[in-house]
Amino acid sequence: MVPLKTKGVQVVKKLDKLGMRSSDTAQIFFDEVKVPVRHTIGQEGMGFVYQMQQFQEERLWGAISAVVGMERLIAQTIEYTRERKVFGRPLLDNQVIHFKLAELSTEVELVRSLCYRACEEYLDGTDVTMLASMAKLKAGRALRLVTDGCLQYWGGAGYLWESPTARAFRDSRLASIGGGADEVMLQIISKLMGTLPRLERR
Ligand SMILES: Cc1cc2nc3c(=O)[nH]c(=O)nc-3n(C[C@H](O)[C@H](O)[C@H](O)COP(=O)(O)OP(=O)(O)OC[C@H]3O[C@@H](n4cnc5c(N)ncnc54)[C@H](O)[C@@H]3O)c2cc1C
């Protein structure tokens, strides 16, 4: 870890993102940067290993924190569609809408249950690589369903930049990409299932 003002560290430019805009992302160059020993974390040369080890926690954290966001968005959508009257009756009274919200809530519960099981096993000292990867995959997919589904029922208001649904839609799209993309999760799960083809040495 080095302070940004360290010699050789150059912040080239701040990158503009679709979502997660309260967290800056920038292109940074490191050129012959001297890192004082007191700024190192753990053992030198072990960074990759530490990163791989911490992924289980990061992926579980990502999955369970998605649950709260999805619940909040569904609750906000219920409130909005109950208030919003179209042709004299609340939008929520349309079966297609309350059924869809029930379906989305069910998806959220599935993610929650998977996370709880994975966390319990993790606390017991079990290797939860498979469950954490499944939870991360499922949470990313559920977020896409929930944010897209909810945005639809906010109509034009949901398409406005500052609406909570639009923000959730933009921010949550990262979940299927960051921390290892969905396809990488599928690769890990396949590997642990023993179905991943072995690479032939040339
Ligand atoms: C806002 C933001 C914050 C981030 N924060 C961090 C951070 O704090 N720390 C950190 O280390 N990284 C961070 N990342 C990086 C993130 O982990 C990577 O962007 C992500 O792992 C995907 O890698 P990539 O962008 O290189 O995409 P690529 O590897 O180029 O992949 C592009 C796409 O191809 C597909 N793909 C990739 N591999 C396969 C495969 N084997 N089979 C089939 N399809 C595949 C996936 O759909 C993937 O999205 C962040 C990224 C973003 C956007």
Side-chain angles (χ1 to χ4, degrees), residues 6-201:
T6 306
K7 189 163 176 264
V9 178
Q10 190 195 358
V11 179
V12 182
K13 65 171 173 178
K14 191 177 143 185
L15 303 169
D16 200 11
K17 304 197 294 295
L18 174 70
M20 295 294 183
R21 296 165 72 87
S22 59
S23 156
D24 284 353
T25 302
Q27 185 177 24
I28 303 178
F29 288 160
F30 298 89
D31 185 17
E32 299 286 337
V33 179
K34 289 209 170 71
V35 182
V37 173
R38 69 178 190 285
H39 284 181
T40 55
I41 297 173
Q43 221 178 311
E44 196 178 328
M46 288 290 287
F48 182 77
V49 175
Y50 295 149
Q51 175 66 13
M52 291 301 114
Q53 287 169 345
Q54 75 81 38
F55 262 142
Q56 308 327 315
E57 285 180 20
E58 179 182 336
R59 288 171 183 161
L60 275 179
W61 166 82
I64 196 69
S65 56
V67 167
V68 182
M70 289 190 284
E71 269 181 342
R72 190 181 303 143
L73 188 62
I74 292 171
Q76 286 172 321
T77 305
I78 291 171
E79 202 182 314
Y80 178 80
T81 51
R82 192 170 267 142
E83 288 267 306
R84 170 85 174 144
K85 306 271 189 319
V86 174
F87 296 115
R89 65 185 195 129
L91 268 180
L92 185 63
D93 287 358
N94 289 287
Q95 192 183 63
V96 70
I97 297 183
H98 56 254
F99 268 22
K100 176 75 175 188
L101 293 170
E103 188 111 35
L104 295 176
S105 288
T106 309
E107 290 289 331
V108 177
E109 280 312 312
L110 285 172
V111 178
R112 190 204 310 277
S113 301
L114 182 51
C115 288
Y116 280 8
R117 182 179 155 203
C119 287
E120 230 164 68
E121 291 195 17
Y122 179 78
L123 291 173
D124 283 344
T126 310
D127 177 354
V128 293
T129 307
M130 172 91 112
L131 290 181
S133 308
M134 287 175 164
K136 158 83 169 62
L137 172 73
K138 190 67 192 158
R141 299 261 158 106
L143 274 166
R144 287 156 78 176
L145 283 180
V146 170
T147 56
D148 185 68
C150 288
L151 191 146
Q152 181 65 24
Y153 302 130
W154 287 63
Y159 197 67
L160 298 180
W161 187 265
E162 68 265 28
S163 88
T165 33
R167 180 168 178 191
F169 182 82
R170 295 191 305 267
D171 286 352
S172 68
R173 192 59 183 81
L174 179 63
S176 281
I177 297 171
D182 283 3
E183 292 78 1
V184 173
M185 295 307 103
L186 289 167
Q187 229 173 12
I188 297 170
I189 298 164
S190 304
K191 191 173 166 191
L192 294 169
M193 288 171 69
T195 53
L196 197 69
R198 293 210 178 135
L199 282 181
E200 278 177 32
R201 285 181 191 274

